[in-house]
Amino acid sequence: MTDIGQLDDTDIDLPIDEGEAGERRATELATRLRAVAAQDPDLAQDLVEGLIVALDRAMGGTIREHLDGPALGVADRVLQVPEQGR
């Protein structure tokens, strides 16, 4: 964070709308997960998997529709139906 006189850059960089505020929270969460991963990769993986399960539940089972690439692969693995050997 850079000090500019009496202000720091967080005072200037305010979210314009709720969507932008949500993006900022998501970015902060990602930053914190990376920090955890640097210290304890297994804990970070558990946190990500738990987050995927919780988001899928909160979104009525539609989280896969919002993912692609490696994230979709992780979600597919984490959200397997228990009878399929999870």
Side-chain angles (χ1 to χ4, degrees):
M1 184 171 352
T2 306
D3 286 331
I4 305 172
Q6 295 282 344
L7 302 173
D8 62 49
D9 59 4
T10 59
D11 294 328
I12 297 168
D13 196 18
L14 299 174
I16 295 171
D17 61 21
E18 195 60 36
E20 187 174 324
E23 280 187 38
R24 289 172 191 272
R25 288 189 298 269
T27 299
E28 179 62 24
L29 176 60
T31 299
R32 290 176 188 220
L33 281 170
R34 283 187 206 96
V36 170
Q39 296 295 315
D40 189 342
D42 291 333
L43 175 59
Q45 187 65 41
D46 289 345
L47 290 170
V48 168
E49 290 175 3
L51 182 59
I52 289 170
V53 169
L55 285 170
D56 190 58
R57 188 176 305 128
M59 297 172 70
T62 64
I63 188 69
R64 288 181 182 98
E65 296 172 16
H66 303 276
L67 302 173
D68 60 11
L72 180 57
V74 172
D76 284 342
R77 180 178 53 79
V78 171
L79 298 172
Q80 287 179 354
V81 177
E83 293 81 25
Q84 293 177 344
R86 179 171 182 224

